[in-house]
Amino acid sequence: MNNNKVRVRFAPSPTGGLHLGGVRTVLYNYLFARHHGGDFVLRIEDTDQSRFVAGAEEYIMQCLDWCGIQPDESPLKPGAYGPYRQSERKPMYAQYAHQLVEQGNAYIAFDTTEDLESMREQYKTEHHNAQYDGRTRAFMRNSLTLTKEEVDALLTSNTPHVIRIKMPQNETVVFTDMIRGEVSFDTNLVDDKVLLKADGMPTYHLAVVVDDYLMNISHAFRGEEWLPSAPVHLLLWKYLGWEAAMPQWAHLPLILKPDGNGKLSKRDGDRLGFPVFAMDWTDPRSMEQTTGFRERGFLPEAFTNMLAMLGWNSGMEQELFTMDELVQHFSIDRVHKAGAKFDYEKAKWFNQQYIQKTDNARLAELVQPFIADKNIAIQDEKLATVMGLVKERLHLLSEFWDQASFFFVRPETIDVTAIQAKWNDTTRQFFVLLAQKLGAAADWNHVAIEEVFNGAIAESGTKKGEAMLPLRVMLVGGKFGPGVFAIAEQIGKAETVGRIDAALKQL
RNA sequence: GCCGUGUUGGUCAAUCGGUUAAGACGCCUCCCUUUCACGGAGGAAUGACGGGUUCGACUCCCGUACAUGGUACCA
């Protein structure tokens, strides 16, 4: 079944927002596929009915789209290996589970939740947590302990049951992980995982093996949290007779929270003030809203570049890579083994770098959502010009309005105390004169404005250093922003004079 | 507890037995800039610990510590 074509898959569960770690897993899958000229497929793992969240699947696809990652095959773009939602593949799994039962590699178990709880209670010791394994399965109600007649009777009376893998005794499962090298497990310490649930749905363990086989997956990347269950998957490939077609595995390191320890979670983002999801997510049940990197003002290419570098590096000094360059340089063996702590400051730096090299017209377009609530009509051209003036002080698109509002509306308040430090009769006279001269100016561009300003300085006997800051504050409201004369040029003659006059009245 | 995985400055990290142990973020100083930023030049800061192996270990091996993941009819 396995030809040599590289085929990888990203297989999320539609249970909520797509967080950083998820996006990075997609990214690495995608980069690997493109690097090797292979296929990247999106498969939805919706086998847990109870955790299914409406809209999550669409949301995930929108996130990929925003990131510039297009699957070659997905529920919306079926290829030759559909369907691409596990819920729609439900009938395919049972036959394999039953095949395993017939072969003696799996068995049927009738235990209730209460049975399992009391078993765990009864057999746990100080040193071990009890699990359903080679030892305890002998005490449970399953097709290994019941007679064939009893099992048949239970089955015909529709008694709820699951199918569990029968872990072998005293074997060592060894495999080579593309990132970690050789990894081995003692089968005595792995429990008899449920393969097929009572509702007829497969668990992840069965589904991932069956689907990866049927979809001809050649390389499988997933988070490190899956490493402990790898022996179950390995054995399944073997028992199903598919060993030769088994994909190569790579268990990606985790993304950790910046402070303290542990896996990065949505709560950490809320707590420390940064996004964790790619895009805004609203939980349909609680209506709780979580902001995403997109809505926080990240450019998608900055976001993906930053994520690519979190756990991988090219070995070169270069840190800024286009998607094409990432595809070109990506290699799975340069992925780190250890988890990486997320650093929001560095993330913002990446974004700042991308803002600097993105042209003003595109930035003007991207910033629209962030000024939509200001209720001001701004021509695209002016917005782009202003963007060019302020972009070098932006780390996030969302900071635009704070840095540029004065170009479009007169500041409601100005920092009067900043002016007062330089204020006296001479400066007052200067500004009266300046307003007059500017009002009479023939040309209106920053060079001409500065000439007028210099002329007024000479005439009034003030020093330029005494007047520059006050002028800035009058126009801007505070001590920030691009060159004053460029600002004056942009806001126009009438408004410039108007702001000076208004300030004069306050001083 | 048990099992797995990991450990180079505060963070991301290069190094794949021999280096003054790169670089980036952040931080500090200075320059540029009559604001803020950009930019430029400097600076502080690193191999968890203990044993081996070796002429020589950040690099290989063992142990300890610490961290992290798993230990569900969730993925």
Side-chain angles (χ1 to χ4, degrees):
Chain A
M1 179 122 191
N2 208 347
N3 55 35
N4 292 322
K5 180 153 199 197
V6 166
R7 285 177 57 80
V8 301
R9 94 280 130 135
F10 174 57
S13 292
T15 52
L18 218 213
H19 68 90
L20 283 176
V23 180
R24 196 193 54 177
T25 303
V26 192
L27 224 207
Y28 287 5
N29 267 288
Y30 177 79
L31 295 175
F32 185 86
R34 287 290 172 272
H35 182 87
H36 291 98
D39 295 333
F40 169 62
V41 350
L42 175 68
R43 181 173 76 214
I44 301 296
E45 308 222 331
D46 54 350
T47 54
D48 186 355
Q49 322 280 46
S50 64
R51 292 214 311 162
F52 178 83
V53 174
E57 180 185 315
E58 292 70 19
Y59 166 89
I60 288 166
M61 290 196 268
Q62 284 164 12
C63 287
L64 298 201
D65 198 52
W66 179 63
C67 291
I69 294 174
Q70 287 84 30
D72 297 300
E73 297 164 27
S74 76
L76 294 186
K77 191 185 171 191
Y81 301 88
Y84 291 84
R85 285 184 198 95
Q86 289 183 333
S87 57
E88 293 168 13
R89 302 171 66 84
K90 183 175 173 182
M92 310 170 93
Y93 305 106
Q95 66 170 114
Y96 295 110
H98 289 113
Q99 178 191 331
L100 290 166
V101 173
E102 278 159 36
Q103 290 173 189
N105 299 123
Y107 58 90
I108 302 169
F110 299 95
D111 315 282
T112 63
T113 310
E114 297 71 48
D115 292 339
L116 294 172
E117 274 169 19
S118 68
M119 178 275 282
R120 292 193 178 107
E121 192 54 37
Q122 189 180 154
Y123 294 102
K124 76 172 182 198
T125 67
E126 285 174 64
H127 304 294
H128 286 280
N129 255 354
Q131 50 183 21
Y132 209 121
D133 60 13
R135 191 172 64 102
T136 54
R137 66 174 165 241
F139 311 118
M140 307 303 289
R141 276 163 39 93
N142 54 51
S143 60
L144 263 19
T145 58
L146 302 170
T147 65
K148 185 166 190 317
E149 290 68 34
E150 289 172 314
V151 171
D152 288 343
L154 286 166
L155 254 22
T156 49
S157 63
N158 286 324
T159 310
H161 60 276
V162 302
I163 292 179
R164 311 185 85 108
I165 185 173
K166 185 181 172 192
M167 287 303 289
Q169 296 293 288
N170 308 318
E171 281 184 26
T172 303
V173 175
V174 182
F175 78 102
T176 303
D177 183 279
M178 284 185 277
I179 295 171
R180 288 150 214 286
E182 198 169 275
V183 186
S184 67
F185 300 87
D186 178 352
T187 55
N188 294 340
L189 300 165
V190 181
D191 61 338
D192 290 352
K193 290 264 182 273
V194 170
L195 265 20
L196 201 67
K197 299 187 260 192
D199 64 2
M201 277 293 203
T203 58
Y204 172 82
H205 307 293
L206 211 217
V208 74
V209 171
V210 170
D211 288 342
D212 282 353
Y213 172 70
L214 261 19
M215 292 184 166
N216 222 354
I217 298 303
S218 63
H219 301 263
F221 306 135
R222 52 167 31 164
E224 191 185 350
E225 68 269 26
W226 290 107
L227 202 44
S229 51
V232 176
H233 310 320
L234 268 286
L235 253 16
L236 253 19
W237 278 91
K238 187 177 151 193
Y239 294 155
L240 260 2
W242 302 335
E243 220 175 351
M246 194 174 80
Q248 280 191 264
W249 294 92
H251 290 88
L252 272 19
L254 269 8
I255 295 179
L256 278 10
K257 59 185 74 181
D259 63 337
N261 307 302
K263 220 173 14 164
L264 181 67
S265 71
K266 189 180 80 62
R267 297 194 85 77
D268 300 313
D270 298 343
R271 199 184 86 239
L272 299 165
F274 58 78
V276 167
F277 291 158
M279 307 185 330
D280 271 10
W281 166 252
T282 304
D283 185 285
R285 280 191 269 244
S286 64
M287 293 313 284
E288 185 196 0
Q289 294 194 6
T290 311
T291 45
F293 279 85
R294 182 178 71 172
E295 289 75 8
R296 199 52 168 272
F298 275 78
L299 303 186
E301 44 283 57
F303 180 59
T304 49
N305 192 160
M306 174 275 291
L307 237 27
M309 303 309 288
L310 205 56
W312 172 85
N313 79 85
S314 65
M316 309 184 297
E317 282 194 9
Q318 182 181 349
E319 286 192 282
L320 266 18
F321 293 88
T322 63
M323 191 65 99
D324 285 344
E325 288 172 323
L326 286 173
V327 166
Q328 187 188 132
H329 293 287
F330 186 78
S331 71
I332 198 70
D333 44 60
R334 289 199 69 89
V335 174
H336 252 248
K337 293 183 176 74
K341 287 186 181 175
F342 175 66
D343 181 357
Y344 189 50
E345 291 305 316
K346 183 87 186 221
K348 285 197 290 191
W349 175 81
F350 272 103
N351 204 237
Q352 186 256 117
Q353 293 294 306
Y354 274 86
I355 288 175
Q356 301 328 309
K357 52 186 215 174
T358 299
D359 68 83
N360 302 152
R362 174 156 181 253
L363 288 174
E365 226 171 278
L366 288 170
V367 86
Q368 288 293 351
F370 298 94
I371 56 174
D373 62 338
K374 308 303 178 196
N375 284 321
I376 301 183
I378 302 173
Q379 306 98 304
D380 294 348
E381 208 175 311
K382 178 167 186 186
L383 189 57
T385 305
V386 170
M387 186 57 86
L389 257 15
V390 303
K391 72 177 184 182
E392 67 190 22
R393 58 214 84 202
L394 299 183
H395 284 80
L396 302 169
L397 255 19
S398 54
E399 292 163 352
F400 176 77
W401 191 250
D402 283 344
Q403 288 294 331
S405 66
F406 57 84
F407 279 107
F408 311 106
V409 294
R410 189 179 294 191
E412 283 177 24
T413 58
I414 61 172
D415 184 353
V416 179
T417 52
I419 300 180
Q420 279 165 342
K422 308 258 183 193
W423 206 246
N424 55 45
D425 287 345
T426 322
T427 41
R428 171 180 290 280
Q429 281 160 25
F430 164 79
F431 277 100
V432 172
L433 177 64
L434 179 67
Q436 222 172 71
K437 282 174 163 291
L438 286 175
D443 293 328
W444 196 258
N445 59 66
H446 70 274
V447 177
I449 298 165
E450 184 162 9
E451 276 167 15
V452 172
F453 180 90
N454 289 339
I457 289 285
E459 231 174 282
S460 67
T462 332
K463 288 195 193 107
K464 202 172 176 181
E466 297 298 301
M468 287 292 279
L469 185 71
L471 176 60
R472 163 175 301 283
V473 175
M474 289 172 185
L475 300 187
V476 170
K479 296 192 276 186
F480 63 97
V484 245
F485 302 116
I487 293 171
E489 176 183 331
Q490 268 307 308
I491 63 179
K493 185 199 279 188
E495 183 61 19
T496 301
V497 175
R499 289 187 192 184
I500 294 172
D501 286 342
L504 247 14
K505 286 184 190 128
Q506 289 185 52
L507 289 153

